[in-house]
Amino acid sequence: MIDYNNKLFRPVVNTENGETSSETVFIYKQVGNILTSKYSGGKIIKGHLIGLVNDKGEIDMRYHQVNQKGELMTGVCQSKPEMLENGKIRLHETWQWTSGDYSNGESIIEEQG
């Protein structure tokens, strides 16, 4: 299992209907197979996620956030890890809003620092 504890991630790619951007910072915490994160930046004032990490390092998560329009947005996301040559983690994500227009999308976030 990949240990995501205390790792910082930033989006590098997102579909147009997503709210995260390179200004969004995710701070991951992990205890056992339970992953949590606080995040903010760009269009997002404050967000939280919770997920379960499997033996392959894949994450099944749920998220909620308040955007700059004052809307509470919720969604689900599946993340698959890729280990980069520099030892950092890149996560390939497929997600869907469970509020708003219920659209889906894809994003990539990368470990920073």
Side-chain angles (χ1 to χ4, degrees):
M1 180 186 306
I2 294 174
D3 184 7
Y4 293 101
N5 195 45
N6 292 321
K7 295 190 184 300
L8 299 177
F9 288 88
R10 280 188 191 267
V12 293
V13 175
N14 199 0
T15 47
E16 193 172 310
N17 58 330
E19 292 189 335
T20 64
S21 68
S22 62
E23 299 173 321
T24 310
V25 177
F26 293 82
I27 303 168
Y28 278 25
K29 299 292 182 185
Q30 183 178 347
V31 176
N33 71 328
I34 299 172
L35 178 83
T36 59
S37 178
K38 295 179 181 179
Y39 58 97
S40 62
K43 295 179 182 177
I44 300 167
I45 296 172
K46 185 175 280 254
H48 301 98
L49 65 81
I50 189 165
L52 296 173
V53 181
N54 70 17
D55 291 340
K56 298 177 186 175
E58 299 169 339
I59 308 165
D60 176 21
M61 70 177 77
R62 308 295 181 266
Y63 58 90
H64 59 257
Q65 61 201 36
V66 176
N67 62 26
Q68 288 183 337
K69 297 177 188 174
E71 299 168 322
L72 177 61
M73 301 295 290
T74 61
V76 297
C77 180
Q78 303 293 318
S79 296
K80 295 188 184 220
E82 171 190 357
M83 296 307 293
L84 301 176
E85 288 183 13
N86 63 6
K88 302 293 185 188
I89 303 167
R90 175 183 290 154
L91 291 170
H92 298 267
E93 303 182 319
T94 56
W95 50 266
Q96 180 172 6
W97 293 113
T98 55
S99 63
D101 65 6
Y102 294 88
S103 63
N104 57 24
E106 297 180 358
S107 54
I108 296 173
I109 67 172
E110 290 185 356
E111 183 182 351
Q112 306 294 299

